[in-house]
Amino acid sequence: MNLVSGYKGVVGFVFGNENSPNADSYVERLLDRISNGKLEEDRRNAITELQAVVSESQASQLSMGATGFPIMLSILKKERDDVEMVRGALETLVSALTPINHAKVSSNEVHPASMNADLLSREAESIPLLLSLLDEDDFYVRYYTLQLLTALVTNSPQRLQEAILTVPRGITRLMDMLMDREVIRNEAILLLTHLTREAGEIQKIIVFEGAFEKIFSVIKEEGNSDGGVVVQDCLELLNNLLRNDASNQVLLRETIGLDPLISILKLRGSAYSFTQQKTFNLLSTLETIKLLIKGGPEANSGKDYKETNKTTLVQKKVLDHLLILGVESQWAPVAVRCAAMQCIGDLIAGNLKNLDLLASKFLGEEPQVEPALNSILRIILRTSSMQEFIAADYVFKSFCEKNVDGQSMLASTLIPQPYSMNHAAIEEDVSMSFGSMLLHGLTLGENDGDLEICCRAASVLSHILKDNLPCKEKVLRIEIEVPMQTLGAPEPLMHRMVKYLAIASSMKHKDRNSTTSGNSYVQVIILKLLVTWLEGCPSAVHCFLDARPHLTYLLELASNLSETSCIRGFAALVLGECVIYNKSNDSGKCAFAIVDAISQKVGLSSYFLKFDEMHKSFVFASVDSVQMSKSFSRFSAASMADIEDAVDENESFEKNDLDHPILSSILDSYFVNLVKRLEADIREQIVEVYSKPKIKVAVVPAELVQRSGESDGDYINRLKEFVEKQSSEIQDLLVRNSTLAEDLAKTGGGSNSQSEPSDRLQMDRLRRDLQEASQRLEALKTEKAKIDSDATMYRNLATKTEGDLRSLSDAYNSLEQANFQLENEVKALKRGVGGSPIFPDVESIKAEAREEAQKESEGELNDLLVCLGQEQSKVERLSARLLELGEDVDKLLEGVGDDLGIGDDDGEDEEDDE
């Protein structure tokens, strides 16, 4: 086994302590006694000792994994009749795969339990062998087998899931364990819970094996929400089967129904005691409700499973149980209340019948019965838990979303109370209507110096006003009384909100080290209310600008570098809405006046930069990112501290100008998209307003015509005034254009030179010229690269040609020398030997040589003709084939043989030279 040997080599290297060699030798001796022992009792004692050693020593676990698994698997396979040996082998394997908690293993060292689990899961026969042991009659064999499978799936889930699917009746055997004795049943539930995580095939098989009936049978037997951890495991298994699976949700709804699930939420007994385990059970049940409300992605176009689930749940009175858990039962743990209210929000979102049902619900007992919405609002205003405020606020967000009638109903109750009632404590609002309670919360912050209650009420009011113009205009008419009539007339509610915004800013600057007053996020939520209120409502813009200090304060807030980028960005949004929704003709409140003030106090380039900084803040980044909700399980809920409201966690931000983490929950995706849309409109509108005159030059004919009875002097003076007015407006327009061009130049390149009105056209022309020059430069670069490549090729060719010429020159010189030597020999022969001239028959010698050369040439020519004939036949066949394939043969043969022709000429020259 290569894998085993590989692990064996790692043992001594990774776990390098002094006890490792001793542990290895001891484990090897025990394994030798188990595999080679003759006495059964000695083998059983050895396996018992081995189990004890492996359960307490990591070195022994490593040694066991490297060498002992084949021996243990052999026992399980071949010694089924020896129950004690099988038990010992299984228990030893479980110990080898169980982490030793008291051992401190550093991150650089190998975890023996994980290593052993990976090794055992890779054994081809291990999973089928273990599943076959579930058919054994012995209780401990089945129990240890389930424990071993659970340890394997914990460390190697995907490999075990794939292996079980390949074993015939593998899932069926596990499901049969649910009908076994209680201990085995509980282990089987835990194993199935691990197996069904992100394993769609196993989920479907388990459902068709009757998982729903068995799960709810166990839950009922254990006592529903009052049961122990087994109920929590059953609910976690149920959630695994329903999560993102529409078909399983339909099967649950149409087979056993939702009544067993609803019964878990019923509180029993007058004390309504909530133990830690009961809290876990209720949280798991509420997660199941939430999964059914969200539906599944597999829903086809013919039927909406999500809405059907909502309708069925409401028919089963789930809303009543959720209201009891989340709203009425204030003695319930915070985590349960928050989860219940989140389910209420999901249940009513986008469903008009459920919205009306919630609006008609009443809570409490006589004589203190009140609408459920009033109770939820009271939670928002009174709770000390930040998470509970977020959950209750989510209910109102869901209630007001695309619910014009519901918004109008809530807005109709907004009736101001006398100042004496506004001054009352928040605990005295039991008999108030919804609107009175909300206005009480909006105006209470000024009395006690704490603006957090006002901030929470402002969040609810923003939901009521969202996308509802009649509600916005109705709330604009609400006026808040002052303590004494001598201090002035009542002020509009909007002005009071701006006042609280300024108070929150001053309080934050006075005590920057305070993180408990809530002022770190009060400003953003009040600004969110103003952004929602002004959006699409010119009347709200007019009301906002009625007080001149409002504009001045917003300009200072937008340019204050000590504020967060989110606050500066929201202030810039409010200023922008005062431009795009401005219908005023007053010279001090018109759109031009607002833009002119922004240009002078902030600067247009700096103003537009506020939006970019806002989008880079963590608030918008966290809203844009998809936040996956974590599933609740016994492992994610180690203690009540993990699920209780963690106010400290929400407050654990830097004590500086960072945005409060709660804002990522309050600012939803709808508002973020609204901000992006408003930003685009604001940019376009400000540029348009800035490029036009303050007042459109419309020459009224009556001003140019002399009036009846008007003297010539008065007429001339009136014309002069008209011309001076037009000249002044033209000068203002030139100054605005110059400033705008300067801002644009600074934004683009940061130039300090004096810009002119034509800078924009010049910049566009220069940009086009630069683009064309860049294209030409790229073309020249490409051409230069091609020329360089050709030059390199020709340089190499010249070098080669020069070498060939040098070789030819050397050959020619050698021929010249040979010719000269031959001429000398001929002259010597002509002179003869001893002075007697000898005249050999040169002509006969030439004739004989020519005859021999002709014979050799004829032989070679005949051979060449034969070869040429063969090649010609090949060429004809290839030409015919190419014609069949549609190729142009003449074009392909162009230039063929040119090189050969050149070579022939050289050869002839050489012969001539000879």
Side-chain angles (χ1 to χ4, degrees):
M1 297 177 60
N2 296 331
L3 188 59
V4 173
S5 61
Y7 273 112
K8 188 174 182 180
V10 173
V11 171
F13 177 74
V14 177
F15 208 88
N17 53 32
E18 297 179 356
N19 297 326
S20 182
N22 296 332
D24 291 346
S25 60
Y26 185 51
V27 170
E28 289 176 0
R29 288 197 301 271
L30 292 175
L31 289 172
D32 182 68
R33 287 170 56 190
I34 295 170
S35 59
N36 300 322
K38 303 300 182 182
L39 300 177
E40 294 298 328
E41 190 65 26
D42 182 61
R43 296 180 65 222
R44 292 169 185 167
N45 292 336
I47 204 170
T48 303
E49 293 180 23
L50 180 62
Q51 187 276 329
V53 171
V54 170
S55 63
E56 296 182 357
S57 171
Q58 284 190 334
S60 299
Q61 283 185 336
L62 282 170
S63 301
M64 173 64 190
T67 58
F69 283 166
I71 298 174
M72 297 296 108
L73 292 178
S74 176
I75 294 174
L76 299 178
K77 184 177 181 180
K78 299 178 181 179
E79 301 184 34
R80 289 287 186 90
D81 296 335
D82 194 338
V83 177
E84 291 189 14
M85 286 296 294
V86 173
R87 283 184 190 175
L90 288 171
E91 191 173 4
T92 303
L93 290 174
V94 171
S95 299
L97 271 59
T98 303
I100 300 176
N101 296 328
H102 61 78
K104 296 181 179 179
V105 181
S106 66
S107 58
N108 296 327
E109 295 178 348
V110 176
H111 295 263
S114 301
M115 178 190 294
N116 291 342
D118 182 71
L119 176 61
L120 186 59
S121 62
R122 292 178 184 272
E123 291 285 346
E125 299 180 354
S126 60
I127 307 303
L129 179 60
L130 292 175
L131 289 175
S132 66
L133 291 173
L134 295 178
D135 295 331
E136 296 293 326
D137 295 332
D138 186 74
F139 168 81
Y140 288 102
V141 170
R142 300 197 305 276
Y143 177 70
Y144 290 140
T145 300
L146 289 173
Q147 281 192 326
L148 187 56
L149 289 172
T150 302
L152 287 174
V153 76
T154 303
N155 292 279
S156 304
Q158 186 174 359
R159 192 176 296 133
L160 188 64
Q161 290 166 358
E162 295 174 354
I164 289 179
L165 287 173
T166 61
V167 178
R169 295 187 71 253
I171 301 296
T172 304
R173 290 174 181 172
L174 295 178
M175 292 299 295
D176 291 341
M177 296 296 101
L178 295 180
M179 309 305 296
D180 209 319
R181 296 167 61 177
E182 182 177 348
V183 177
I184 292 181
R185 179 202 67 188
N186 297 344
E187 286 294 331
I189 292 172
L190 194 60
L191 174 60
L192 290 171
T193 302
H194 288 286
L195 279 176
T196 52
R197 290 174 183 166
E198 301 179 359
E201 293 296 327
I202 294 180
Q203 293 174 6
K204 294 184 183 300
I205 296 174
I206 288 177
V207 168
F208 283 105
E209 290 284 345
F212 291 143
E213 293 85 349
K214 295 176 181 178
I215 288 173
F216 283 110
S217 175
V218 174
I219 291 176
K220 183 178 180 180
E221 181 181 346
E222 291 291 322
N224 288 322
S225 62
D226 294 320
V229 71
V230 178
V231 175
Q232 182 182 348
D233 292 338
C234 287
L235 290 169
E236 186 179 352
L237 173 59
L238 177 65
N239 293 339
N240 290 345
L241 299 177
L242 298 179
R243 186 174 291 109
N244 296 327
D245 196 320
S247 59
N248 287 351
Q249 294 180 12
V250 172
L251 197 60
L252 171 64
R253 193 179 65 235
E254 296 181 354
T255 52
I256 67 173
L258 302 181
D259 290 316
L261 179 64
I262 304 299
S263 64
I264 303 175
L265 295 176
K266 293 180 180 179
L267 300 179
R268 296 166 178 81
S270 58
Y272 292 146
S273 60
F274 287 87
T275 63
Q276 178 176 333
Q277 188 57 56
K278 184 173 183 178
T279 301
F280 293 156
N281 295 341
L282 288 173
L283 287 174
S284 298
T285 307
L286 291 172
E287 184 181 358
T288 308
I289 300 293
K290 192 171 185 178
L291 292 174
L292 291 173
I293 293 173
K294 288 186 175 181
E298 301 174 8
N300 53 35
S301 58
K303 192 174 182 181
D304 193 343
Y305 294 97
K306 180 179 178 180
E307 294 303 319
T308 306
N309 288 345
K310 286 185 178 182
T311 303
T312 306
L313 286 169
V314 170
Q315 291 174 353
K316 300 300 181 181
K317 309 295 183 183
V318 71
L319 185 58
D320 296 335
H321 298 293
L322 292 176
L323 287 171
I324 292 174
L325 277 175
V327 183
E328 193 171 7
S329 300
Q330 288 301 301
W331 54 86
V334 174
V336 174
R337 300 203 302 267
C338 293
M341 283 190 285
Q342 288 173 355
C343 287
I344 293 173
D346 291 336
L347 190 65
I348 65 176
N351 191 303
L352 294 178
K353 292 183 179 180
N354 294 349
L355 288 169
D356 295 338
L357 181 62
L358 177 62
S360 64
K361 289 293 182 180
F362 285 82
L363 299 178
E365 299 179 356
E366 295 293 345
Q368 295 183 347
V369 178
E370 65 175 355
L373 292 176
N374 289 31
S375 301
I376 298 174
L377 177 61
R378 183 174 292 105
I379 292 174
I380 291 178
L381 300 178
R382 287 186 178 182
T383 182
S384 60
S385 168
M386 194 63 65
Q387 296 299 327
E388 191 172 13
F389 156 59
I390 294 174
D393 184 78
Y394 177 69
V395 175
F396 279 105
K397 173 184 176 297
S398 301
F399 181 83
C400 296
E401 190 77 28
K402 298 180 181 179
N403 183 17
V404 178
D405 295 336
Q407 290 173 306
S408 301
M409 182 267 293
L410 296 178
S412 64
T413 63
L414 292 170
I415 302 174
Q417 298 294 314
Y419 177 77
S420 59
M421 195 64 187
N422 289 336
H423 193 69
I426 192 67
E427 289 78 7
E428 300 178 11
D429 60 0
V430 178
S431 59
M432 292 183 183
S433 65
F434 177 89
S436 300
M437 192 189 313
L438 183 60
L439 288 175
H440 188 201
L442 287 169
T443 58
L444 189 64
E446 186 182 15
N447 298 325
D448 58 4
D450 186 1
L451 297 176
E452 186 171 351
I453 294 177
C454 170
C455 158
R456 298 179 180 184
S459 180
V460 176
L461 182 59
S462 66
H463 299 318
I464 298 175
L465 302 181
K466 183 171 60 178
D467 294 335
N468 195 317
L469 184 59
C471 287
K472 294 179 181 180
E473 294 180 344
K474 177 178 177 57
V475 178
L476 277 178
R477 296 190 290 270
I478 296 177
E479 294 184 342
I480 307 299
E481 293 184 2
V482 294
M484 299 176 61
Q485 294 183 355
T486 57
L487 296 179
E491 60 179 337
L493 178 62
M494 176 179 283
H495 291 194
R496 181 65 65 89
M497 292 296 99
V498 181
K499 175 184 176 182
Y500 289 163
L501 179 64
I503 293 175
S505 179
S506 62
M507 292 175 62
K508 185 174 68 174
H509 291 303
K510 285 181 181 179
D511 187 8
R512 289 188 174 275
N513 294 327
S514 174
T515 59
T516 58
S517 64
N519 294 322
S520 55
Y521 61 91
V522 167
Q523 290 174 279
V524 177
I525 295 182
I526 295 179
L527 283 169
K528 176 193 173 186
L529 170 62
L530 294 177
V531 170
T532 305
W533 204 339
L534 297 180
E535 189 262 332
C537 185
S539 301
V541 173
H542 181 76
C543 179
F544 178 82
L545 295 175
D546 273 345
R548 182 66 180 177
H550 291 176
L551 181 61
T552 304
Y553 171 68
L554 262 293
L555 289 170
E556 293 177 355
L557 192 63
S559 58
N560 191 350
L561 297 178
S562 63
E563 299 290 353
T564 66
S565 58
C566 191
I567 291 176
R568 295 196 301 269
F570 280 20
L573 277 176
V574 176
L575 291 172
E577 287 179 316
C578 292
V579 175
I580 62 178
Y581 301 119
N582 194 316
K583 305 298 181 183
S584 176
N585 293 324
D586 191 345
S587 60
K589 300 178 183 178
C590 64
F592 169 80
I594 307 301
V595 175
D596 191 51
I598 293 174
S599 175
Q600 293 181 9
K601 299 293 184 180
V602 183
L604 292 183
S605 59
S606 178
Y607 172 77
F608 290 142
L609 191 61
K610 308 300 179 187
F611 298 127
D612 299 331
E613 295 173 351
M614 175 181 60
H615 288 298
K616 293 178 181 178
S617 64
F618 99 96
V619 174
F620 281 78
S622 60
V623 172
D624 291 337
S625 62
V626 179
Q627 296 179 356
M628 301 298 293
S629 57
K630 297 181 180 179
S631 59
F632 186 81
S633 65
R634 69 149 80 178
F635 300 101
S636 64
S639 64
M640 284 295 291
D642 295 333
I643 62 170
E644 285 294 345
D645 179 42
V647 179
D648 294 337
E649 181 180 353
N650 284 328
E651 299 291 348
S652 61
F653 56 95
E654 298 289 341
K655 294 183 178 181
N656 48 28
D657 292 327
L658 293 179
D659 292 307
H660 199 286
I662 191 180
L663 297 179
S664 60
S665 300
I666 298 298
L667 304 180
D668 54 6
S669 58
Y670 170 85
F671 186 77
V672 172
N673 294 330
L674 172 64
V675 168
K676 293 178 180 179
R677 178 169 57 82
L678 286 174
E679 178 190 345
D681 296 340
I682 290 170
R683 290 178 183 270
E684 180 180 357
Q685 187 68 18
I686 285 182
V687 173
E688 181 179 355
V689 170
Y690 209 82
S691 62
K692 292 183 178 180
K694 179 180 179 182
I695 300 177
K696 294 184 178 180
V697 181
V699 179
V700 183
E703 296 184 7
L704 300 179
V705 179
Q706 187 174 7
R707 300 170 185 172
S708 60
E710 186 178 18
S711 63
D712 293 341
D714 294 339
Y715 177 57
I716 293 173
N717 291 333
R718 186 163 55 84
L719 289 179
K720 287 182 178 180
E721 292 176 358
F722 180 77
V723 172
E724 289 176 357
K725 181 180 179 181
Q726 298 300 320
S727 176
S728 176
E729 292 177 354
I730 291 174
Q731 292 297 326
D732 290 341
L733 178 60
L734 291 176
V735 172
R736 290 199 308 274
N737 288 340
S738 177
T739 305
L740 178 60
E742 183 179 356
D743 288 339
L744 292 175
K746 289 180 179 179
T747 304
S751 175
N752 294 324
S753 61
Q754 196 70 20
S755 301
E756 297 181 358
S758 61
D759 280 353
R760 180 184 298 177
L761 297 176
Q762 185 178 0
M763 289 175 63
D764 293 339
R765 185 170 62 254
L766 290 175
R767 190 178 295 109
R768 288 194 300 270
D769 294 343
L770 178 60
Q771 186 175 4
E772 293 176 0
S774 299
Q775 294 176 355
R776 290 196 300 271
L777 180 61
E778 291 296 329
L780 291 173
K781 286 182 178 179
T782 304
E783 185 177 358
K784 179 179 178 299
K786 183 178 180 182
I787 292 174
D788 291 341
S789 177
D790 293 343
T792 303
M793 181 185 68
Y794 288 130
R795 191 180 296 109
N796 296 334
L797 183 60
T799 302
K800 180 180 179 183
T801 305
E802 183 179 356
D804 294 340
L805 289 175
R806 189 178 296 107
S807 300
L808 290 174
S809 177
D810 295 339
Y812 178 77
N813 292 332
S814 62
L815 289 175
E816 286 287 342
Q817 293 177 0
N819 186 32
F820 179 75
Q821 184 177 1
L822 291 174
E823 287 179 355
N824 292 332
E825 292 179 357
V826 170
K827 290 179 182 180
L829 290 173
K830 285 181 179 182
R831 288 193 300 267
V833 181
S836 299
I838 299 176
F839 297 96
D841 192 354
V842 178
E843 295 297 330
S844 62
I845 294 174
K846 287 184 178 181
E848 291 176 0
R850 188 179 299 109
E851 184 179 357
E852 291 178 357
Q854 186 175 2
K855 290 180 181 180
E856 292 177 358
S857 298
E858 286 177 355
E860 292 176 355
L861 181 61
N862 291 332
D863 295 339
L864 180 61
L865 289 175
V866 173
C867 292
L868 288 175
Q870 292 176 354
E871 293 299 322
Q872 182 64 27
S873 62
K874 290 182 182 179
V875 170
E876 291 176 354
R877 288 198 301 272
L878 289 175
S879 299
R881 180 56 179 166
L882 290 173
L883 288 174
E884 291 178 0
L885 295 176
E887 298 291 340
D888 190 351
V889 179
D890 297 332
K891 186 177 180 180
L892 292 174
L893 293 177
E894 287 180 3
V896 177
D898 293 343
D899 297 336
L900 183 60
I902 294 172
D904 292 342
D905 293 341
D906 295 341
E908 291 177 0
D909 293 342
E910 291 177 4
E911 290 178 0
D912 294 340
D913 293 337
E914 292 177 0

Coordinates of all heavy atoms in Angstrom, one line a residue, residues 79-112:
E79 N -13.2 -12.0 10.6 CA -13.4 -12.5 11.9 C -14.8 -12.0 12.4 O -14.9 -11.6 13.5 CB -12.3 -12.2 12.8 CG -11.0 -12.7 12.4 CD -9.9 -12.4 13.4 OE1 -10.2 -12.5 14.6 OE2 -8.7 -12.2 13.0
R80 N -15.8 -12.1 11.6 CA -17.1 -11.6 12.0 C -17.7 -12.4 13.1 O -18.5 -11.9 13.9 CB -18.1 -11.6 10.8 CG -17.8 -10.6 9.7 CD -18.2 -9.2 10.1 NE -18.1 -8.3 9.0 CZ -19.1 -8.0 8.2 NH1 -20.3 -8.6 8.3 NH2 -18.9 -7.1 7.3
D81 N -17.3 -13.6 13.2 CA -17.9 -14.5 14.3 C -17.4 -14.1 15.7 O -18.1 -14.3 16.7 CB -17.6 -16.0 14.0 CG -18.3 -16.5 12.7 OD1 -19.3 -15.8 12.3 OD2 -17.8 -17.4 12.1
D82 N -16.2 -13.5 15.7 CA -15.6 -13.1 17.0 C -16.1 -11.7 17.3 O -15.5 -10.7 16.9 CB -14.1 -13.2 16.9 CG -13.5 -13.2 18.3 OD1 -14.1 -12.6 19.3 OD2 -12.3 -13.6 18.5
V83 N -17.2 -11.6 18.0 CA -17.8 -10.3 18.3 C -16.9 -9.4 19.1 O -16.8 -8.2 18.8 CB -19.2 -10.5 19.0 CG1 -19.8 -9.1 19.3 CG2 -20.1 -11.3 18.1
E84 N -16.2 -10.0 20.1 CA -15.3 -9.1 20.9 C -14.2 -8.5 20.1 O -13.8 -7.4 20.3 CB -14.7 -10.0 22.0 CG -15.8 -10.4 23.1 CD -15.1 -11.0 24.3 OE1 -13.9 -10.9 24.5 OE2 -15.9 -11.6 25.1
M85 N -13.6 -9.3 19.2 CA -12.5 -8.8 18.3 C -13.1 -7.7 17.4 O -12.4 -6.7 17.2 CB -11.9 -9.9 17.5 CG -11.0 -10.8 18.3 SD -9.5 -10.0 19.0 CE -8.6 -9.6 17.5
V86 N -14.2 -7.9 16.8 CA -14.8 -6.9 16.0 C -15.1 -5.6 16.7 O -14.8 -4.5 16.3 CB -16.1 -7.4 15.3 CG1 -16.8 -6.3 14.5 CG2 -15.8 -8.6 14.4
R87 N -15.6 -5.8 18.0 CA -15.9 -4.6 18.8 C -14.6 -3.9 19.1 O -14.5 -2.6 18.9 CB -16.5 -5.0 20.1 CG -17.9 -5.4 20.1 CD -18.3 -5.7 21.6 NE -19.7 -6.3 21.7 CZ -20.2 -6.7 22.8 NH1 -19.5 -6.6 23.9 NH2 -21.4 -7.2 22.8
G88 N -13.5 -4.6 19.5 CA -12.3 -4.0 19.8 C -11.7 -3.3 18.5 O -11.1 -2.2 18.7
A89 N -11.8 -3.9 17.4 CA -11.2 -3.3 16.2 C -12.0 -2.0 15.9 O -11.3 -0.9 15.5 CB -11.3 -4.2 15.0
L90 N -13.3 -2.0 16.0 CA -14.1 -0.8 15.7 C -13.8 0.3 16.7 O -13.6 1.5 16.3 CB -15.6 -1.1 15.7 CG -16.1 -1.9 14.5 CD1 -17.5 -2.4 14.8 CD2 -16.0 -1.1 13.2
E91 N -13.7 -0.1 18.0 CA -13.4 0.9 19.0 C -12.0 1.5 18.8 O -11.8 2.7 19.0 CB -13.6 0.3 20.4 CG -13.6 1.3 21.5 CD -13.9 0.7 22.8 OE1 -14.0 -0.6 22.9 OE2 -14.0 1.4 23.8
T92 N -11.1 0.7 18.4 CA -9.7 1.2 18.2 C -9.7 2.2 17.0 O -9.0 3.2 17.0 CB -8.8 0.0 17.9 OG1 -8.8 -0.9 19.0 CG2 -7.3 0.5 17.7
L93 N -10.5 1.8 15.9 CA -10.5 2.7 14.8 C -11.2 4.1 15.2 O -10.8 5.1 14.7 CB -11.3 2.1 13.6 CG -10.6 0.9 12.9 CD1 -11.5 0.2 11.9 CD2 -9.3 1.4 12.3
V94 N -12.2 4.0 16.0 CA -12.9 5.2 16.4 C -11.9 6.1 17.2 O -11.8 7.3 17.1 CB -14.1 4.9 17.3 CG1 -14.7 6.2 17.9 CG2 -15.2 4.3 16.4
S95 N -11.1 5.5 18.1 CA -10.1 6.2 18.9 C -9.1 6.8 18.0 O -8.6 7.9 18.3 CB -9.5 5.3 19.9 OG -10.4 4.8 20.8
A96 N -8.7 6.1 16.9 CA -7.6 6.6 16.0 C -8.1 7.8 15.2 O -7.3 8.7 14.8 CB -7.2 5.5 15.1
L97 N -9.5 8.0 15.1 CA -10.0 9.1 14.3 C -10.6 10.2 15.2 O -11.1 11.2 14.7 CB -11.1 8.6 13.4 CG -10.7 8.1 12.0 CD1 -9.7 6.9 12.0 CD2 -11.9 7.7 11.2
T98 N -10.5 10.0 16.5 CA -11.0 11.0 17.4 C -9.9 12.0 17.9 O -8.9 11.5 18.4 CB -11.7 10.4 18.6 OG1 -12.7 9.5 18.2 CG2 -12.3 11.4 19.6
P99 N -10.0 13.3 17.7 CA -9.0 14.2 18.1 C -8.8 14.2 19.6 O -9.8 14.0 20.4 CB -9.5 15.6 17.6 CG -10.5 15.3 16.6 CD -11.1 14.0 16.9
I100 N -7.6 14.3 20.1 CA -7.3 14.4 21.5 C -7.3 15.8 21.9 O -6.5 16.6 21.5 CB -5.9 13.7 21.8 CG1 -5.9 12.2 21.3 CG2 -5.6 13.8 23.2 CD1 -4.6 11.6 21.5
N101 N -8.4 16.2 22.7 CA -8.6 17.6 23.0 C -7.5 18.2 23.8 O -7.1 19.4 23.6 CB -10.0 17.8 23.7 CG -11.1 17.4 22.7 OD1 -11.0 17.5 21.5 ND2 -12.2 16.8 23.3
H102 N -7.0 17.5 24.8 CA -6.0 18.1 25.7 C -4.6 18.2 25.1 O -3.8 18.9 25.6 CB -5.9 17.2 26.9 CG -5.4 15.8 26.7 ND1 -4.1 15.5 26.4 CD2 -6.1 14.6 26.6 CE1 -4.0 14.2 26.2 NE2 -5.2 13.6 26.3
A103 N -4.4 17.7 23.9 CA -3.1 17.8 23.2 C -3.1 19.1 22.5 O -4.0 19.5 21.8 CB -2.9 16.6 22.3
K104 N -2.0 19.8 22.6 CA -1.8 21.1 21.9 C -0.9 20.8 20.6 O 0.3 20.6 20.7 CB -1.1 22.1 22.8 CG -1.9 22.5 24.0 CD -1.2 23.5 24.9 CE -2.0 23.9 26.1 NZ -1.3 24.9 26.9
V105 N -1.6 20.9 19.5 CA -0.9 20.6 18.2 C -0.8 22.0 17.5 O -1.8 22.7 17.3 CB -1.8 19.7 17.4 CG1 -1.0 19.4 16.0 CG2 -2.0 18.4 18.1
S106 N 0.4 22.3 17.2 CA 0.7 23.6 16.5 C 0.2 23.5 15.1 O -0.1 22.4 14.5 CB 2.2 24.0 16.6 OG 2.9 23.0 15.8
S107 N 0.1 24.7 14.4 CA -0.4 24.7 13.1 C 0.6 24.1 12.1 O 0.2 23.6 11.0 CB -0.6 26.2 12.6 OG 0.6 26.9 12.8
N108 N 1.8 23.9 12.5 CA 2.8 23.3 11.6 C 2.9 21.8 11.7 O 3.5 21.2 10.8 CB 4.2 23.9 11.9 CG 4.3 25.4 11.6 OD1 3.6 25.9 10.7 ND2 5.1 26.1 12.4
E109 N 2.2 21.2 12.7 CA 2.2 19.8 12.8 C 1.0 19.2 12.2 O -0.1 19.8 12.1 CB 2.3 19.5 14.3 CG 3.7 19.9 14.9 CD 3.7 19.6 16.4 OE1 2.7 19.2 17.0 OE2 4.8 19.7 17.0
V110 N 1.1 17.9 11.9 CA 0.0 17.2 11.4 C -1.0 16.7 12.5 O -0.6 16.3 13.5 CB 0.5 15.9 10.6 CG1 -0.6 15.1 10.1 CG2 1.4 16.4 9.5
H111 N -2.3 16.8 12.2 CA -3.3 16.4 13.1 C -3.5 14.9 12.9 O -4.0 14.5 11.8 CB -4.6 17.1 13.0 CG -4.5 18.6 13.3 ND1 -4.8 19.1 14.6 CD2 -4.0 19.6 12.6 CE1 -4.6 20.4 14.6 NE2 -4.1 20.7 13.4
P112 N -3.2 14.0 13.8 CA -3.2 12.6 13.5 C -4.6 12.1 13.2 O -4.8 11.3 12.3 CB -2.7 12.0 14.8 CG -1.9 13.0 15.5 CD -2.6 14.3 15.1

